[in-house]
Amino acid sequence: MDEPEEERVFQRVYSTFGSHAAYGVFDDAKPFLKWCMRHGIACGVLSNADERYGDSILPMLGLSDHMQFFTFSKNVGVEKPGKEIFDAAIQDAQPWLCLGNKRSDIKQLMPEEVLHIGNDYQKDYVGATSAGFHAVLLDRYDEKEVAKSWREGGAPVFKDLIDVVEWLGREQYELGSRDECKI
């Protein structure tokens, strides 16, 4: 393949992954995000994908209105599982939690008040727990052996976000929420 042809192939692949055709929304995503909003829980994206994901793909899928913050590795300069990107996500979430509150004594969001939901053992589970977060993994495609190895590594593994909501109810974690900022 010559250089002009390589460029055409790259542009075609790049534009495909910037279009609606390459993405879909799981049925439980919007109900989960709405549940979080009702409970004052900030939801965001913490991703090694480029910022195009937050600028065009999530809005195209109708998900960005349910997100309060976006943290991308390109902007932080560190990819998951690096602790710095998880620290950056806490900083990005903090303003939403206390939006409009001028008090200077508002407590800072702590890592142990954060739940990270992912689909990669090293990047999401190990990275998040090493940063002090709670973390769970989703096995969306029923990969039994992969999910088994994740569980053996200590990760809670769920099929969907509805299972995560039920698990949160059982575990009674104290996640950071807007309710803590009311005066």
Side-chain angles (χ1 to χ4, degrees), residues 1-12:
M1 197 180 313
D2 63 9
E3 194 171 314
E5 188 175 349
E6 285 178 3
E7 179 62 23
R8 281 193 301 277
V9 169
F10 170 79
Q11 289 302 325
R12 182 171 290 154

Coordinates of all heavy atoms in Angstrom, one line a residue, residues 1-12:
M1 N 0.8 -1.2 0.0 CA 0.0 0.0 0.0 C 0.9 1.2 0.0 O 1.8 1.4 0.8 CB -0.9 0.0 1.3 CG -2.0 0.8 1.2 SD -3.1 0.8 2.7 CE -3.4 -0.9 3.1
D2 N 0.7 2.1 -0.9 CA 1.5 3.4 -1.0 C 0.9 4.4 0.0 O -0.1 4.2 0.6 CB 1.5 3.9 -2.4 CG 0.2 4.4 -2.9 OD1 -0.8 4.4 -2.2 OD2 0.1 4.7 -4.1
E3 N 1.7 5.5 0.2 CA 1.4 6.4 1.3 C 0.0 7.1 1.0 O -0.8 7.2 2.0 CB 2.5 7.5 1.3 CG 2.4 8.3 2.6 CD 3.6 9.2 2.8 OE1 4.7 8.7 2.6 OE2 3.4 10.4 3.0
P4 N -0.4 7.6 -0.2 CA -1.7 8.1 -0.3 C -2.8 7.2 0.0 O -3.8 7.5 0.6 CB -1.7 8.6 -1.8 CG -0.3 8.7 -2.2 CD 0.4 7.7 -1.4
E5 N -2.6 5.9 -0.4 CA -3.7 4.9 -0.1 C -3.8 4.6 1.4 O -4.9 4.5 2.0 CB -3.4 3.6 -0.8 CG -4.5 2.6 -0.7 CD -4.3 1.3 -1.5 OE1 -3.3 1.3 -2.3 OE2 -5.0 0.4 -1.3
E6 N -2.6 4.6 2.1 CA -2.6 4.5 3.6 C -3.4 5.6 4.2 O -4.1 5.4 5.2 CB -1.2 4.4 4.1 CG -0.5 3.2 3.9 CD 1.0 3.2 4.4 OE1 1.4 4.2 5.0 OE2 1.7 2.2 4.2
E7 N -3.2 6.8 3.7 CA -3.9 8.0 4.3 C -5.4 7.9 4.0 O -6.2 8.2 4.9 CB -3.4 9.3 3.6 CG -4.0 10.5 4.1 CD -3.9 10.8 5.6 OE1 -2.9 10.3 6.2 OE2 -4.7 11.5 6.2
R8 N -5.8 7.4 2.9 CA -7.3 7.2 2.6 C -7.9 6.2 3.5 O -8.9 6.4 4.1 CB -7.5 6.8 1.1 CG -7.4 8.0 0.2 CD -7.9 7.6 -1.2 NE -7.2 6.5 -1.8 CZ -6.1 6.6 -2.5 NH1 -5.5 7.8 -2.7 NH2 -5.5 5.5 -3.0
V9 N -7.1 5.1 3.7 CA -7.6 4.0 4.7 C -7.7 4.6 6.1 O -8.7 4.4 6.8 CB -6.7 2.8 4.6 CG1 -7.0 1.8 5.7 CG2 -6.8 2.1 3.3
F10 N -6.7 5.3 6.5 CA -6.7 5.9 7.8 C -7.9 6.8 8.0 O -8.6 6.8 9.0 CB -5.4 6.7 8.1 CG -5.5 7.5 9.4 CD1 -5.4 6.9 10.6 CD2 -5.8 8.9 9.3 CE1 -5.5 7.7 11.8 CE2 -5.9 9.6 10.5 CZ -5.7 9.0 11.7
Q11 N -8.1 7.7 7.0 CA -9.3 8.7 7.1 C -10.6 7.9 7.1 O -11.5 8.4 7.9 CB -9.2 9.7 5.9 CG -8.1 10.7 6.0 CD -8.1 11.5 7.3 OE1 -9.2 11.8 7.8 NE2 -7.0 11.8 7.8
R12 N -10.7 6.9 6.4 CA -12.0 6.1 6.4 C -12.2 5.5 7.7 O -13.3 5.6 8.3 CB -12.0 5.0 5.3 CG -13.3 4.3 5.2 CD -13.4 3.4 4.0 NE -13.5 4.2 2.9 CZ -13.1 3.8 1.7 NH1 -12.6 2.6 1.5 NH2 -13.2 4.6 0.6

